[in-house]
Amino acid sequence: MSGFLGALAMLGLAGALVAALYVVHLLTSAGTGALSTDAFRSGLPPQEHALSRFHVRWYAVSLLFLAFDVEMLFMYPWAVVVAEVGASAVAEMFAFLGLLMAGVGYAWREGALRWA
Amino acid sequence: MGVTALVSRRLAAWAARRPHVLLAAAAGATAERLAVEAEVARTGGVLAATPADADLLVVAGQPGPELAEAVERVWRQLPGPRARALVAQPAEAAPALRAALRALTGPAGAARDDGHSGGPAQDRGGGGHQGHGGMRTPGGLMMAERAEDRDGLTLDVLHVPLGPVLPDWPAGLVVDLTLQGDLVQSAVPRLLPPAAPVAEPYWTAGGGPDRPRRQAAAQLDSLGRLWAVAGWSSGAAAARRLRDDLLAGAPLAALHAPFRLLRRRARRSRALRWATDGLGVLTAEAARAAGVSGPAGRAAADGGDATARWLRWLDEIGRLLGGGTPPEGEGPRGRWVPGRPPSRALLDVAAPLMVGLDVAAARLVLASFDPDPDELAAAVPAGTPG
């Protein structure tokens, strides 16, 4: 029963905090609704909607990111067993990282990160 | 509500001790702009970068119709509490700012301007709220059209203006950029003319013994703008302090030490060189063909990039502070050919050099040439197309 009591107390506390936020907003806010305004374009009106397609170069960047992201995926199980397996696991992982870095070096040389 | 009003007033008073000022200057209002900048620095304020960051909107000079419209649009984007001031004469800067600050805190008996309550400005020229195929578009704006870019990719074409209400930007100048994927595909400059034609550009006015001083101050002003755009705000602030001291008539000998310190810091800054190296290269032949004289023309001989131009500015300021005189018949931007001020040539070479760069680099290129809108506005009545 005491377990339920604790949960209820926590629920009551959370509810009171949220209610207090509403009261503070009611007392102090300058306006009731959200303020909306135009985008700042140095004083001239915008001509297109801000939503637009990404430059194709971002996809090269996202592929580079994915390479490292997946590499991290491999490192989690590796980190669990590296202490038991020892030096050979470290050597293997760094060989794998080296291969990935070679890929990044290749993309760099080919100009995938060059913008203008 | 008594407590709320008190808290609100206290907060406003606290915020007004460090007002953020958005400065919108018209072409030909250099003296007014300098007076406002000095006054803002004196009262402990800061110059804001955007209306969202600003408490005060200060208009320097007499804006023409299009600039006045832009100022109104920016005013609608200022959140409250807010106030605005018009500075039409340099001497009005201090009283106008004081009055605006009082309005900001809501003086006794007067209502404070807490801004509008919602709704984006409805000034898009009857664009309507119906998009393609009867689909509603947010805010009545269309999605961008697509076109081939220089690499043969089909990308969105965005039209982004730089100016006229933009910090560290030539007053009243607008460069209409066409962007595709962050890269500038075209840059078309135009000047929003002031309400009255400029009689004489501030930096070349007042000849005689004050000429070297005025010229050095003009180049310090340019340096401050370029370094602020490059993100070196402490260097920009130091350059502007030197500029204000020069114009206030401080003895030249007293300025040598701070200038040498600033020059050493600038020359040794590797980050600054990374930001400006190789940008906007103007070859000596191109400079001659376009009629670019002055520091930018001379910098074409030693590399012609943005770094060469600010190094040249530093050299010439050093020479002027050391008692040198500027070449005869030459202003801070170069030599006047009848009907064609040197800033016109600078703008004509700067705009094509912005193409192919990203927006930040394009701004740096323009700042490294720093055409003076006063000269452009003064030239308009002389028969040069604006």
Side-chain angles (χ1 to χ4, degrees):
Chain A
M1 202 55 209
S2 66
F4 278 113
L5 202 67
L8 273 180
M10 195 48 104
L11 200 66
L13 185 69
L17 277 177
V18 170
L21 283 180
Y22 273 101
V23 171
V24 167
H25 169 254
L26 214 67
L27 286 179
T28 60
S29 66
T32 45
L35 294 176
S36 58
T37 178
D38 270 344
F40 175 54
R41 284 274 170 115
S42 316
L44 296 178
Q47 291 179 36
E48 292 100 358
H49 194 265
L51 191 71
S52 69
R53 301 157 191 89
F54 294 115
H55 194 293
V56 67
R57 288 189 175 90
W58 287 108
Y59 294 99
V61 174
S62 68
L63 278 180
L64 271 180
F65 164 75
L66 263 185
F68 283 94
D69 204 37
V70 172
E71 156 208 324
M72 289 306 295
L73 212 79
F74 286 119
M75 284 182 87
Y76 282 117
W78 171 79
V80 175
V81 298
V82 66
E84 293 164 27
V85 181
S88 71
V90 175
E92 279 172 12
M93 182 46 80
F94 275 83
F96 174 59
L97 291 186
L99 281 178
L100 279 178
M101 281 313 290
V104 173
Y106 173 75
W108 196 326
R109 194 196 69 177
E110 292 293 306
L113 300 176
R114 202 168 49 223
W115 222 242
Chain B
M1 290 306 279
V3 178
T4 315
L6 183 72
V7 169
S8 161
R9 172 162 296 192
R10 283 279 163 81
L11 274 176
W14 178 69
R17 278 163 53 187
R18 192 173 167 74
H20 286 223
V21 179
L22 186 64
L23 178 58
T30 304
E32 290 79 6
R33 172 174 65 84
L34 294 176
V36 171
E37 284 181 7
E39 188 60 23
V40 167
R42 208 185 56 75
T43 53
V46 283
L47 291 175
T50 63
D53 183 34
D55 307 310
L56 298 181
L57 176 64
V58 178
V59 182
Q62 307 276 5
E66 200 180 344
L67 181 57
E69 198 185 318
V71 167
E72 284 308 315
R73 201 172 286 118
V74 169
W75 173 244
R76 283 196 295 271
Q77 296 171 345
L78 238 70
R82 60 184 184 171
R84 64 195 287 182
L86 183 72
V87 178
Q89 293 295 328
E92 289 173 13
L97 271 174
R98 267 201 304 279
L101 272 177
R102 270 200 305 278
L104 199 60
T105 50
R112 208 175 63 200
D113 187 353
D114 279 337
H116 63 109
S117 51
Q122 299 296 323
D123 61 344
R124 294 197 185 101
H129 285 256
Q130 293 295 113
H132 292 296
M135 218 171 69
R136 287 182 72 85
T137 53
L141 282 172
M142 295 297 148
M143 294 282 287
E145 299 288 328
R146 275 179 293 178
E148 295 254 311
D149 83 338
R150 53 158 202 188
D151 298 331
L153 303 166
T154 304
L155 288 174
D156 279 8
V157 183
L158 299 173
H159 299 92
V160 177
L162 288 178
V165 186
L166 195 62
D168 308 311
W169 179 258
L173 186 72
V174 176
V175 177
D176 290 307
L177 297 183
T178 310
L179 297 182
Q180 278 181 297
D182 294 348
L183 294 191
V184 176
Q185 304 289 337
S186 77
V188 183
R190 63 198 166 100
L191 185 75
L192 307 187
V198 177
E200 196 174 14
Y202 176 79
W203 295 118
T204 49
D210 264 356
R211 200 166 139 252
R213 188 178 275 271
R214 187 66 69 108
Q215 193 131 332
Q219 286 167 358
L220 281 167
D221 189 48
S222 301
L223 271 180
R225 206 169 294 125
L226 172 66
W227 287 345
V229 171
W232 191 34
S233 48
S234 77
R240 285 169 179 162
R241 229 175 0 255
L242 274 172
R243 170 200 73 187
D244 290 342
D245 288 347
L246 258 180
L247 291 173
L252 288 184
L255 298 177
H256 283 162
F259 174 71
R260 271 202 296 272
L261 180 69
L262 178 65
R263 183 168 59 184
R264 204 175 70 230
R265 279 173 65 204
R267 282 179 177 164
R268 290 170 63 171
S269 169
R270 200 165 286 184
L272 189 58
R273 280 171 193 262
W274 273 336
T276 56
D277 267 359
L279 279 184
V281 175
L282 179 71
T283 59
E285 298 89 73
R288 252 198 311 280
V292 174
S293 50
R298 288 190 282 276
D302 31 76
D305 62 350
T307 309
R309 282 190 285 278
W310 65 254
L311 283 172
R312 172 65 59 173
W313 275 333
L314 278 176
D315 284 349
E316 305 209 347
I317 296 163
R319 208 166 44 75
L320 291 170
L321 288 185
T325 50
E328 202 48 49
E330 190 181 299
R333 264 74 173 187
R335 205 168 300 107
W336 280 69
V337 183
R340 189 175 160 82
S343 288
R344 169 62 53 193
L346 288 178
L347 194 57
D348 285 348
V349 296
L353 286 174
M354 292 165 84
V355 174
L357 304 174
D358 58 57
V359 182
R363 271 206 73 177
L364 276 173
V365 166
L366 188 86
S368 73
F369 284 101
D370 199 36
D372 182 8
D374 292 17
E375 293 182 358
L376 300 174
V380 172
T384 313

